[in-house]
Amino acid sequence: MAGSSSAFSFVLLVLLLAVWWPVAATAGSGLSVGFYRESCPKAEKVVRRIMAKAFKKEPGTPADIIRLFFHDCFVRGCDASVLLESMPGSMAERDSKPNNPSLDGFEVIADAKELLEKLCPSTVSCADILALAARDGAYLAGGFDYAIPTGRRDGLVSKEEDVLPNVPHADFNHDELVGNFTAKGFTLEEMVTLSGAHTIGTSHCSSFTDRLYDYYHDGVYGTDPGMPVAYAAGLKKKCPPVTSAHDDPTMVQLDDVTPFAMDNQYYKNVLAGTVAFGSDMALLESPETAAMVERYAAKPTAYWLRRFAAAMVKVSEMAVLTGSKGEIRLNCSKVN
């Protein structure tokens, strides 16, 4: 579909979601929608404005921020610990192997924090800025909006060794994925739903070159036979054999079809085998999760978007600090 028909469909989607989107007034975690309504009324508008500016300059910003958000919340909860810089003798999360150099978007959060400190000093937490920015990234890339509760406070601790045991890895098989997500309190459907975030964003070649060159099958090492030949050949042209992202900084789009759009193309790619991560193909390893992938691929994008929003809110409530716990950082990269 093109032209005015396409534009009408997009507007209709936004209107439908605005009408039907379920909005909770409060969350069981102690957070609440509109937490800054009195203390900093422009807080959410400021974050969205900063995100919109960054998105206009770099369309990959939503993917960067959503990934930053996930990697924060899956380690120590949503406390902005991923934003803290390493100190002498103490390596922080952002410098762990899964995060450095692949995580990006720190400067966007810093820009929002700097402006909010001028408007409302010592009021809006870095953890809330990151959660709001992730929501706004999904809005900018997908055209859908949803309410997210706020009231988080910032953590005081960030340890490099906490990352590997907690974040899902690109080479996880089905059982490892399920173990990771269920340990965090997510259902199988929420796991499949959140995996759809790979419909946008890029990856270093080192995250999947094992599937291209060192996949063990039938007694030999080579290319994963589950990869379509043409797709594997295309990735090999971009990605030579490497051992780490530092050896080869080449980045590839996770979704070649609609790389900057939050849509259900990811699930179609999984069914076709045209996904770089072994963890994405792992969703087809069980009939139950494979059926979920098929359902998301077959139904309109809005069907997945509604469930993705609900899952994002659940992620945002992971082990949050509220009340007098933690602090409100003045600088997101350093404790006060």
Side-chain angles (χ1 to χ4, degrees):
M1 211 183 308
S4 60
S5 177
S6 177
F8 173 78
S9 298
F10 176 79
V11 171
L12 179 62
L13 169 62
V14 174
L15 290 174
L16 285 172
L17 292 175
V19 171
W20 292 105
W21 213 272
V23 177
T26 60
S29 57
L31 307 176
S32 61
V33 172
F35 180 84
Y36 297 107
R37 191 174 291 116
E38 300 296 331
S39 61
C40 193
K42 295 183 179 179
E44 296 199 24
K45 290 182 179 179
V46 166
V47 175
R48 179 157 294 188
R49 188 163 71 245
I50 294 293
M51 279 293 294
K53 181 180 178 181
F55 175 63
K56 185 176 181 180
K57 182 179 179 180
E58 172 49 66
T61 297
D64 292 338
I65 298 299
I66 290 172
R67 185 165 184 264
L68 193 61
F69 168 69
F70 281 146
H71 278 234
D72 180 46
C73 295
F74 270 63
V75 182
R76 309 187 72 88
C78 303
D79 66 348
S81 56
V82 75
L83 303 179
L84 289 173
E85 293 179 344
S86 296
M87 301 293 288
S90 178
M91 193 78 76
E93 293 171 29
R94 65 191 287 171
D95 288 321
S96 66
K97 186 176 180 181
N99 292 343
N100 186 6
S102 61
L103 281 190
D104 207 350
F106 296 98
E107 70 288 346
V108 178
I109 306 303
D111 288 347
K113 179 62 174 175
E114 182 179 4
L115 182 52
L116 285 169
E117 279 301 308
K118 293 177 181 177
L119 290 174
C120 315
S122 303
T123 302
V124 184
S125 70
C126 299
D128 275 343
I129 293 172
L130 181 53
L132 290 168
R135 184 272 306 271
D136 294 343
Y139 166 75
L140 290 164
F144 68 104
D145 208 353
Y146 56 94
I148 197 161
T150 44
R152 299 164 192 78
R153 287 169 66 85
D154 300 320
L156 305 173
V157 178
S158 183
K159 296 181 179 180
E160 176 269 342
E161 61 266 25
D162 289 341
V163 178
L164 270 176
N166 283 288
V167 298
H169 303 171
D171 60 355
F172 268 4
N173 61 33
H174 179 271
D175 289 345
E176 290 169 325
L177 270 180
V178 171
N180 180 271
F181 276 86
T182 56
K184 304 292 184 185
F186 294 98
T187 65
L188 284 184
E189 181 166 5
E190 288 167 339
M191 177 187 80
V192 175
T193 302
L194 290 169
S195 295
H198 288 168
T199 192
I200 55 175
T202 58
S203 171
H204 284 277
C205 291
S206 57
S207 294
F208 56 83
T209 45
D210 281 353
R211 291 189 72 206
L212 297 176
Y213 303 104
D214 297 308
Y215 190 89
Y216 186 75
H217 180 71
D218 287 343
V220 297
Y221 289 92
T223 304
D224 182 349
M227 268 191 173
V229 173
Y231 180 68
L235 288 179
K236 287 179 179 179
K237 287 182 180 179
K238 302 173 185 175
C239 302
V242 293
T243 57
S244 75
H246 294 280
D247 295 332
D248 182 4
T250 303
M251 305 289 285
V252 298
Q253 296 289 348
L254 293 177
D255 174 7
D256 286 334
V257 184
T258 55
F260 302 112
M262 289 284 291
D263 57 22
N264 68 340
Q265 182 62 45
Y266 163 81
Y267 298 99
K268 299 173 184 178
N269 294 345
V270 171
L271 293 176
T274 54
V275 285
F277 293 165
S279 59
D280 290 330
M281 286 304 299
L283 297 179
L284 301 182
E285 290 177 10
S286 84
E288 188 173 6
T289 54
M292 295 172 188
V293 171
E294 291 171 356
R295 185 162 62 248
Y296 280 140
K299 288 184 176 289
T301 289
Y303 178 83
W304 166 67
L305 290 177
R306 286 194 293 271
R307 285 153 183 81
F308 183 76
M312 284 282 279
V313 171
K314 186 171 178 177
V315 171
S316 81
E317 297 172 353
M318 294 174 68
V320 294
L321 302 175
T322 58
S324 61
K325 297 178 181 177
E327 65 180 10
I328 304 297
R329 281 185 222 145
L330 303 180
N331 181 326
C332 289
S333 64
K334 302 174 182 178
V335 296
N336 295 342

